[in-house]
Amino acid sequence: MTPNHGSLLYEGKAKRVFLAEHEQKVFIEFKNSATAFNAVKKAEFEDKGRLNCQISACLFELLETKGIPTHYLGVAGDSWMAARKVEVIPLEVVLRNIAAGSLCKETPIIKGTELSPALLDIYYKDDQLGDPLLTELRLERLGLLTAQQRSEIETIAKNVNNFLKSFFNQIDLILVDFKLEFGIINSGEIVLADEISPDTCRLWDKRISDPKARILDKDRFRQDLDNLLEAYGEVLKRVQGACAKPRNCL
Ligand code: UDP
C-alpha cells in the first residue's frame, strides 16, 4: 500500500521522502536497497523496507512513551512512515555499548569490550567526505549547533540508549551500538529523526553464542553473511512481541 503522497523531496540511500497533504508532514518510504562502506557495496533485499519501517515505528512509539521527542507520526503502509517535516542536522550521533566496527579499526580497543558509560561519537554526515569523526573543537567550529542544542542532543541520545539497551535486553538482544540522526521542526524544537533499525544498530542475539550466527543487523551484509532478511525478521518478531501495534497515520 502506498499513501497518497506529493512530490519527492529527497532521496537517500535507504529512504525516499515525499511531501504530504500538509506542509509540516512528510511520507517516508523505506527502500529495499542496502549499502555499506559508503555505498561502495550495494544490493537489494526484497522486504527489507517493510521490516525496517515496522521496527522503527515500534521503537519510535516506545521512545515517545518515555518522553523522547521524535519526528514519527505513524505508519502509512507496510514500508511507509508518516513523519513531521524536519530540517536534518548533518550529524550522525553514534552510541556504543560494546566495542565493534570502526571503533576497533581506528583504535586498539578490542572487539567485544564493554563500554560503560556508553561512548558517544559524533560524525559529520557527508558521503563525499566519508562521514568523518568530529572532535569537540571541530564540531564547535562547524557552528551547526548552539551549546544548548548540543547538550540537548547528547541528553536525548543517552536517554535513548538507556531505554533501548534495556528494552532489547528484555527481548534477548544485545544493543552493541547504533546511530541516531536529529532534525529541527518548524517550532525550533530538536527531535529524533531518521530510523532505528537493524540497518542503523548492531544487535546480537543473546540466545546464540557463535559470533557470526548471533549477528542480526547490517553486519550480515557488510561481512557477506547470508540470511539478512531472516535476521531482520527475527528482530521485528521480538520487537512486535513486546510492544503495541504501531498506529496508522494516513
Ligand atoms: N551507522 C549507520 N550509518 C552510518 C555509519 C554507522 O547507521 O553511516 C551505524 C552502524 O550500523 C553501527 C553504528 O552506527 O550500528 C556504528 O558504526 P561504526 O562507526 O562502527 O561504523 P561501521 O563499522 O558501521 O562502518
Side-chain angles (χ1 to χ4, degrees):
M1 201 181 55
T2 304
N4 190 13
H5 59 76
S7 55
L8 180 69
L9 255 184
Y10 166 83
E11 176 156 8
K13 293 188 291 262
K15 293 185 286 300
R16 290 189 190 93
V17 181
F18 294 87
L19 290 172
E21 70 283 7
H22 44 85
E23 218 190 355
Q24 296 311 322
K25 178 178 166 185
V26 291
F27 286 118
I28 302 172
E29 180 187 16
F30 286 65
K31 303 200 289 189
N32 288 330
S33 333
T35 60
F37 313 118
N38 207 3
V40 169
K41 184 171 177 176
K42 293 181 202 160
E44 288 290 305
F45 292 92
E46 181 75 42
D47 206 33
K48 184 175 80 74
R50 178 188 69 88
L51 294 163
N52 280 348
C53 178
Q54 300 301 319
I55 293 167
S56 274
C58 288
L59 297 176
F60 279 134
E61 280 196 27
L62 285 171
L63 289 169
E64 190 182 79
T65 67
K66 302 291 160 196
I68 307 279
T70 83
H71 71 151
Y72 172 83
L73 293 171
V75 290
D78 282 351
S79 52
W80 289 84
M81 185 179 281
R84 295 196 269 185
K85 193 170 169 185
V86 301
E87 189 197 317
V88 175
I89 301 167
L91 295 175
E92 300 196 338
V93 179
V94 170
L95 272 291
R96 302 177 188 276
N97 297 308
I98 295 179
S102 67
L103 179 65
C104 303
K105 287 194 196 119
E106 294 163 1
T107 73
I109 301 172
I110 292 164
K111 186 176 170 187
T113 305
E114 276 204 40
L115 306 166
S116 186
L119 197 60
L120 187 150
D121 285 332
I122 302 183
Y123 296 82
Y124 183 58
K125 185 177 158 69
D126 184 315
D127 282 344
Q128 281 193 330
L129 297 177
D131 296 342
L133 176 63
L134 294 175
T135 60
E136 294 266 335
L137 293 175
R138 286 184 186 190
L139 178 56
E140 216 174 280
R141 183 65 185 77
L142 283 172
L144 296 167
L145 302 169
T146 63
Q148 202 203 321
Q149 287 174 323
R150 160 93 192 269
S151 123
E152 214 176 303
I153 282 179
E154 292 198 359
T155 303
I156 297 175
K158 286 174 190 167
N159 288 342
V160 169
N161 184 45
N162 289 337
F163 172 71
L164 287 184
K165 207 170 97 171
S166 95
F167 171 74
F168 281 124
N169 186 49
Q170 281 164 35
I171 54 173
D172 280 353
L173 297 174
I174 299 169
L175 179 60
V176 175
D177 59 28
F178 62 102
K179 183 258 308 182
L180 298 176
E181 290 184 30
F182 293 86
I184 301 181
I185 54 173
N186 203 24
S187 63
E189 191 193 353
I190 290 188
V191 298
L192 189 57
D194 196 50
E195 65 180 291
I196 308 176
S197 74
D199 268 8
T200 61
C201 301
R202 284 195 170 89
L203 293 166
W204 293 348
D205 191 344
K206 268 169 68 179
R207 299 171 192 166
I208 298 175
S209 57
D210 179 82
K212 285 199 185 336
R214 71 182 174 184
I215 296 171
L216 297 180
D217 57 68
K218 200 162 88 172
D219 271 351
R220 297 205 74 79
F221 175 62
R222 293 187 187 97
Q223 296 177 26
D224 287 318
L225 303 172
D226 57 3
N227 297 329
L228 179 113
L229 291 170
E230 288 76 0
Y232 283 36
E234 182 61 25
V235 174
L236 178 61
K237 195 175 87 181
R238 291 195 207 174
V239 167
Q240 279 178 333
C243 67
K245 189 171 183 279
R247 62 178 173 262
N248 205 292
C249 177
L250 268 176

